[in-house]
Amino acid sequence: MAVYAAPVQDLIDELGRLPGIGPKSAQRIAFHLLKLQRADAARLANAIVEAKDKVTFCSQCFNIAEGSGESEALCSICLDERRDATVLCVVEEPRDIVAVEKTSEFRGRYHVLQGAISPIEGVGPDQLRVKELLVRLEDERVQEIILCTNPNIEGEATALYLARLLKPIGLRVTRIASGLPVGGDLEYADELTLGRALEGRRDVEG
Ligand SMILES: [Zn+2]
């Protein structure tokens, strides 16, 4: 027998699909939403739909870009001719671009993998934007790839995989320096620490 009325259970189920939201949190948020004024609930629902309608992923680097889902859009960084096209910083998520940009240490371009290799979660290279990265390397004048994945198990495994894949192409492949909090996410590193990690990046052995 269902514990909650169907619409409530649907809401809990949907919230439970969000990253980092367990069943308990999903219930708590659902009951919070039920207490909202209708106008406040509508504003939240609307913000989600608006973002989905007006924001898409950059067709070149997979950063967030303005545009509808169907059209080929480029992000503001890919559109900026002043950015150094010879250096690509490879990150896991668009939010990592924000973290690197805040350091003001990097003037090159980016490539967002949209995740990291994680055998436990069934994520392999095929689920990431690795193919798209290789295509870019054929067409663009990239000379150095900075592996800027998170300093945790998944991020390190991803960096190692990419280093083995990219070194034979004859590019300079570097990894951000250690000194970042191990096991953490880039987005939690302060600007100074991440800036130093970028500056102190090392060549990866092939
Ligand atoms: Zn882009």
Side-chain angles (χ1 to χ4, degrees):
M1 202 187 74
V3 180
Y4 299 118
V8 179
Q9 190 59 53
D10 287 349
L11 183 57
I12 294 171
D13 291 346
E14 288 303 325
L15 291 167
R17 286 196 188 98
L18 299 173
I21 308 285
K24 283 239 167 83
S25 302
Q27 277 186 34
R28 203 172 58 238
I29 297 168
F31 284 104
H32 168 77
L33 293 174
L34 289 173
K35 282 189 283 182
L36 290 181
Q37 296 288 329
R38 195 184 187 285
D40 293 335
R43 204 172 52 237
L44 171 63
N46 204 34
I48 296 171
V49 175
E50 282 265 297
K52 277 306 292 178
D53 285 348
K54 291 186 179 160
V55 176
T56 184
F57 291 108
C58 174
S59 58
Q60 188 162 281
C61 77
F62 301 95
N63 184 17
I64 284 165
E66 273 181 58
S68 68
E70 270 90 82
S71 62
E72 289 258 304
L74 288 176
C75 72
S76 56
I77 293 173
C78 286
L79 284 170
D80 186 349
E81 290 292 326
R82 292 163 302 176
R83 305 285 306 211
D84 183 357
T86 65
V87 193
L88 267 194
C89 182
V90 176
V91 296
E92 293 178 23
E93 300 290 350
R95 62 174 186 262
D96 300 326
I97 292 183
V98 178
V100 174
E101 285 295 293
K102 275 196 201 150
T103 69
S104 310
E105 288 286 335
F106 183 69
R107 295 297 302 158
R109 293 169 186 255
Y110 293 92
H111 190 83
V112 181
L113 295 169
Q114 295 190 325
I117 292 173
S118 171
I120 297 167
E121 290 177 40
V123 180
D126 292 347
Q127 278 79 47
L128 305 174
R129 300 289 184 179
V130 174
K131 262 197 301 320
E132 290 85 349
L133 173 62
L134 294 176
V135 170
R136 286 185 73 180
L137 297 178
E138 282 171 22
D139 301 344
E140 298 177 35
R141 359 173 221 137
V142 181
Q143 288 163 17
E144 181 185 352
I145 301 265
I146 305 173
L147 301 171
C148 201
T149 49
N150 286 330
N152 55 24
I153 295 172
E154 291 81 13
E156 293 298 346
T158 308
L160 191 66
Y161 171 84
L162 288 176
R164 284 180 182 154
L165 188 71
L166 300 173
K167 280 291 273 188
I169 301 175
L171 295 162
R172 184 177 177 209
V173 182
T174 54
R175 174 84 173 117
I176 47 170
S178 48
L180 291 169
V182 174
D185 283 356
L186 285 187
E187 59 176 327
Y188 301 129
D190 65 90
E191 287 136 49
L192 203 64
T193 310
L194 183 54
R196 282 202 194 114
L198 268 167
E199 213 179 1
R201 65 187 185 270
R202 293 195 194 97
D203 286 274
V204 180
E205 301 301 320

